[in-house]
Amino acid sequence: GALVYQYPRRTICKSGTSMRMECQAVGFQATSVAWYRQSPQKTFELIALSTVNSAIKYEQNFTQEKFPISHPNLSFSSMTVLNAYLEDRGLYLCGARGVDNTLYFGAGTRLSVL
Amino acid sequence: AQSVTQPDARVTVSEGASLQLRCKYSYSGTPYLFWYVQYPRQGLQLLLKYYSGDPVVQGVNGFEAEFIKSNSSFHLRKASVHWSDSAVYFCAVSPASSSFSKLVFGQGTSLSVVP
């Protein structure tokens, strides 16, 4: 079956530092990857859409300078949160789109900022 | 722009009772509709999806949903809930013209199943 692994599951970083999270699609080829954030007590916001060999599209309020994404092949993507502050805390989900056009999500990386 | 409204932030039902979680969307074009579930401290799991065809779609664990275009609704139902169904349920819409990755989520409905 289609599985998406995210690493790490939890991370804590000091305010002003950066952290990188990874997303791995297993058992299928992910034609595109979407990164979402769920801030405390909120729903999921789309950060960016990434398709291999295409430009990454960031949503309003999210920028490449703050959330650089790497998507080198059909099974792997990573995103870094640069200069993290309290408002960046939350659950970061990676969704990988399969050929059936369904978005399969990983369990997420939970970011806490001290 | 599309939007999703889940009017009930919290729902409590007794184990064995039937369930309906409401979802209404706003989108002028052809939508693709999804229900996802988030168990405590976990990510999102797909329950079911609607692309086209039969407006009643079956999902995992006995869940189903009905797309009613005239009402712009996609309510989730289950005939008999189990305590393990306690979780947060998210309805989501994606424009048919998009890459299917651009989901817009509702605020979620927290379901508690009590004995």
Side-chain angles (χ1 to χ4, degrees), chain B residues 37 39 45-47 58-64 77-82 84-85 89:
Chain B
V37 60
Y39 294 103
Q45 297 178 27
L46 179 68
L47 275 180
Q58 305 296 321
V60 298
N61 298 334
F63 286 95
E64 69 172 29
R77 302 189 295 241
K78 187 170 183 179
S80 175
V81 296
H82 187 263
S84 59
D85 293 324
Y89 291 79

Side-chain angles (χ1 to χ4, degrees), chain A residues 9-10 32 34 36 38 42-44 46 49 59 91 93 97 100-103 105-107 110, chain B residues 10 34 36 38 41-46 49 51 90 99-108:
Chain A
R9 290 292 303 274
R10 292 179 173 273
S32 64
Y36 286 81
Q38 184 186 34
K42 292 187 178 180
T43 191
F44 296 92
L46 178 64
L49 289 174
E59 291 293 291
L91 179 67
L93 284 188
R97 181 166 68 100
D100 63 350
N101 289 321
T102 296
L103 202 56
F105 286 94
R110 188 167 297 280
Chain B
R10 294 182 182 278
F34 306 82
Y36 284 87
Q38 184 183 31
R41 297 172 297 282
Q42 295 189 25
L44 288 177
Q45 297 178 27
L46 179 68
K49 61 189 178 188
Y51 288 165
F90 291 91
S99 65
F100 297 88
S101 302
K102 190 169 182 174
L103 294 176
V104 174
F105 288 89
Q107 293 296 316

Side-chain angles (χ1 to χ4, degrees), chain A residues 49-113:
Chain A
L49 289 174
S50 175
T51 304
V52 176
N53 298 325
S54 295
I56 298 170
K57 297 181 181 179
Y58 287 84
E59 291 293 291
Q60 195 174 10
N61 301 326
F62 297 97
T63 66
Q64 182 181 9
E65 290 70 31
K66 174 72 175 178
F67 300 96
I69 290 171
S70 171
H71 192 182
N73 58 58
L74 289 174
S75 64
F76 182 82
S77 177
S78 67
M79 184 177 74
T80 302
V81 181
L82 294 176
N83 221 6
Y85 287 99
L86 195 62
E87 59 265 25
D88 296 318
R89 62 192 173 129
L91 179 67
Y92 288 81
L93 284 188
C94 164
R97 181 166 68 100
V99 292
D100 63 350
N101 289 321
T102 296
L103 202 56
Y104 296 97
F105 286 94
T109 293
R110 188 167 297 280
L111 172 64
S112 299
V113 181

